């Protein structure tokens, strides 16, 4: 059993992917070839943003967004400690300070109620993460940002294809960033990402930053980086994008079925809550259990792969020790980090396999309980 079955997806898309790759090899424009523009056009229409720029990774997308906003040493960016390292890492890389705010216990996304008191005169932006594929509460976050003149950058690396009040992730704030890492809901065959915005000036800035701050050949009005997406990766994404809307539907169906089966058969397991304003793409299907180590071991030993997203909140990572945030700083994030367990999740997960996973989980939780009461 695979945790994310990319081979099944490839088997389904082999011909169009090969055709797209072959076209790139034939025209030979490996850097910023015509597939890049074609992809950007399709993705901006899908998200409902005026501009999309394809970039080298989700991490670089976050970096470019903050560079375009002029975030620099001494600035503060409010974000969640409950995320992949890249979110806080890019803030720190620019010399700015990540200011963590605890998460909501239901959605595990940034708790808007806690944001306001973290704002200081140095705050420049709020960077919510739409974790596991469900958007943060953007109406609440955007309202706070507007009241304080702050930008909002969505880290939508896990939520491409998700909706918030009928609007798509990555089109909900000043800048939306996503990742096309192979295991993300829309993945390429290497590293890739994208930034989205409705702001023309920010789009121009990000376009320049993507290519060494260049506005025309060998002319550089600003400092940038090399963050282009390879044409070959755009070709792969164009082929995969054709079935992506169907995959989003399948992900929702599979995620909801997990929740239904697990709540019926393993009532002690906490299933993810998707609030009514949202649809989730279930980048991860993540439950919460007691004694995670034992439950995971039971599943793994019976051929069910699992993962932990994420075992340690960012403020407890050695790289962020300089912030001096000890245990207990963000109790909701810390509690979740000790309990979360992700189950196999991908659009090709069939019903018998899903039933087997749920039954193995039921046994794991049951066995653990019997051991505890013995
Ligand atoms: C995957 C991920 C990233 C980084 O994306 P890459 O394409 O791997 O650089 C950033 N933030 C979050 C929340 C992620 O899940």
């Amino acid at each position: 059993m695979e945790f994310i079955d990319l081979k099944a997806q490839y088997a389904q898309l082999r011909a169009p992917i090969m055709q797209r790759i072959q076209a790139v090899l034939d025209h030979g424009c490996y850097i910023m070839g015509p597939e890049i523009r074609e992809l950007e056009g399709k993705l901006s229409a899908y998200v409902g943003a005026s501009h999309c720029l394809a970039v080298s990774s989700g991490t670089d997308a976050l970096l470019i967004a903050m560079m375009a906003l002029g975030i620099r040493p001494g600035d503060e960016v409010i974000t969640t400690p409950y995320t992949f390292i890249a979110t806080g890492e890019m803030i720190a890389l620019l010399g700015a300070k990540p200011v963590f705010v605890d998460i909501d216990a239901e959605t595990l996304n940034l708790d808007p109620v806690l944001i306001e008191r973290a704002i200081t005169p140095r705050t420049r932006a709020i960077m919510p993460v739409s974790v596991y594929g469900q958007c943060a509460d953007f109406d609440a976050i955007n309202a706070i940002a507007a009241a304080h003149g702050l930008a909002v950058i969505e880290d939508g690396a896990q939520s491409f294809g998700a909706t918030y009040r009928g609007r798509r992730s990555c089109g909900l704030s000043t800048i939306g960033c996503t990742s096309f890492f192979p295991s993300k809901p829309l993945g390429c065959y290497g590293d890739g990402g994208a930034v989205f915005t409705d702001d023309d000036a920010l789009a121009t800035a990000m376009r320049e930053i993507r290519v060494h701050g260049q506005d025309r050949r060998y002319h550089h009005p600003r400092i940038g980086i090399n963050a282009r997406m390879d044409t070959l990766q755009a070709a792969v994404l164009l082929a995969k994008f054709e079935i992506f809307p169907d995959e989003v539907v399948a992900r929702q169906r599979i995620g909801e079925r997990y929740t239904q089966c697990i709540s019926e058969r393993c009532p002690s397991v906490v299933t993810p809550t998707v609030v009514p304003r949202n649809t989730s793409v279930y980048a991860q299907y993540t439950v919460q259990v007691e004694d995670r180590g034992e439950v995971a071991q039971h599943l793994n030993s019976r051929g069910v792969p699992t993962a932990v997203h994420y075992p340690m909140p960012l403020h407890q990572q050695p790289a962020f020790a300089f912030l001096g945030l000890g245990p207990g700083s963000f109790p909701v994030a810390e509690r979740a980090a000790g309990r979360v367990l992700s189950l196999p999740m991908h659009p090709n997960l069939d019903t018998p396999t899903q039933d087997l996973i749920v039954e193995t989980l039921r046994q794991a939780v049951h066995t653990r309980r019997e051991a505890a009461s013995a």
Side-chain angles (χ1 to χ4, degrees):
M1 193 188 300
E2 305 274 340
F3 186 70
I4 296 174
D5 195 347
L6 293 173
K7 289 184 196 124
Q9 187 197 46
Y10 176 59
Q12 193 183 343
L13 289 174
R14 198 167 194 282
I17 288 174
M18 289 308 223
Q19 229 166 4
R20 280 287 188 174
I21 289 177
Q22 190 62 52
V24 176
L25 299 181
D26 288 337
H27 69 53
C29 300
Y30 307 121
I31 301 291
M32 297 303 278
E35 284 79 4
I36 297 287
R37 280 245 153 165
E38 187 184 348
L39 179 69
E40 290 173 345
K42 289 199 166 151
L43 298 185
S44 59
Y46 180 76
V47 162
S50 321
H51 306 276
C52 166
L53 300 177
V55 300
S56 42
S57 72
T59 305
D60 288 337
L62 297 171
L63 182 61
I64 292 169
M66 286 188 285
M67 287 174 76
L69 289 165
I71 288 169
R72 54 197 175 94
D75 290 344
E76 294 178 359
V77 178
I78 293 173
T79 191
T80 164
Y82 194 75
T83 178
F84 179 62
I85 185 77
T87 319
E89 183 186 32
M90 290 304 102
I91 298 168
L93 184 69
L94 285 172
K97 180 180 171 188
V99 175
F100 298 121
V101 161
D102 211 351
I103 52 173
D104 168 68
E106 233 189 357
T107 63
L108 308 184
N109 276 323
L110 202 54
D111 187 346
V113 171
L114 303 175
I115 292 176
E116 199 118 34
R117 71 187 75 146
I119 295 174
T120 77
R122 290 167 178 257
T123 309
R124 297 292 313 279
I126 307 171
M127 191 186 282
V129 176
S130 296
V131 85
Y132 301 153
Q134 168 171 221
C135 289
D137 189 356
F138 277 91
D139 282 353
I141 293 167
N142 287 338
I144 296 164
H148 295 269
L150 308 174
V152 178
I153 303 165
E154 180 186 9
D155 182 345
Q158 301 180 8
S159 57
F160 194 72
T163 60
Y164 172 87
R165 299 193 195 284
R167 290 156 61 213
R168 286 234 162 81
S169 171
C170 295
L172 304 169
S173 63
T174 320
I175 300 174
C177 299
T178 199
S179 165
F180 303 123
F181 185 81
S183 60
K184 306 286 179 172
L186 178 60
C188 54
Y189 288 157
D191 281 302
V195 290
F196 297 84
T197 188
D198 286 332
D199 184 310
D200 296 344
L202 283 174
T204 301
M206 292 193 289
R207 192 179 301 280
E208 292 175 5
I209 291 164
R210 176 172 63 173
V211 193
H212 303 290
Q214 166 179 293
D215 62 350
R216 56 182 195 273
R217 201 168 168 80
Y218 301 133
H219 186 262
H220 308 269
R222 64 169 82 234
I223 298 295
I225 56 176
N226 172 1
R228 296 173 296 235
M229 176 186 281
D230 291 345
T231 310
L232 279 170
Q233 298 302 344
V236 170
L237 286 168
L238 281 164
K240 287 199 181 192
F241 186 66
E242 291 298 311
I243 64 159
F244 182 66
D246 294 336
E247 289 188 333
V248 167
V249 172
R251 283 178 169 281
Q252 278 157 14
R253 176 174 43 75
I254 293 164
E256 285 163 15
R257 187 169 185 276
Y258 254 141
T259 296
Q260 192 195 332
C261 297
I262 293 172
S263 354
E264 279 169 14
R265 296 174 64 189
C266 325
S268 72
V269 173
V270 178
T271 52
T273 303
V274 178
V275 293
R277 60 174 178 264
N278 287 334
T279 60
S280 176
V281 285
Y282 295 98
Q284 316 295 347
Y285 186 86
T286 305
V287 297
Q288 296 185 45
V289 292
E290 306 289 338
D291 292 321
R292 173 178 63 206
E294 286 161 45
V295 173
Q297 206 190 356
H298 183 105
L299 286 160
N300 301 161
S301 70
R302 281 154 186 81
V304 177
T306 59
V308 175
H309 306 94
Y310 294 91
M312 191 186 277
L314 298 198
H315 66 284
Q316 296 184 305
Q317 292 287 349
F320 288 116
F322 70 94
L323 293 171
L325 297 163
S329 300
F330 305 105
V332 184
E334 289 166 31
R335 178 174 148 84
R339 294 163 45 93
V340 287
L341 185 66
S342 302
L343 303 176
M345 178 69 212
H346 54 84
N348 296 298
L349 187 66
D350 59 43
T351 302
T353 308
Q354 190 174 34
D355 287 341
L356 178 67
I357 295 165
V358 174
E359 173 54 21
T360 314
L361 177 65
R362 191 194 62 78
Q363 287 166 10
V365 175
H366 189 70
T367 307
R368 191 196 61 75
R369 293 212 145 177
E370 301 229 306
S373 63

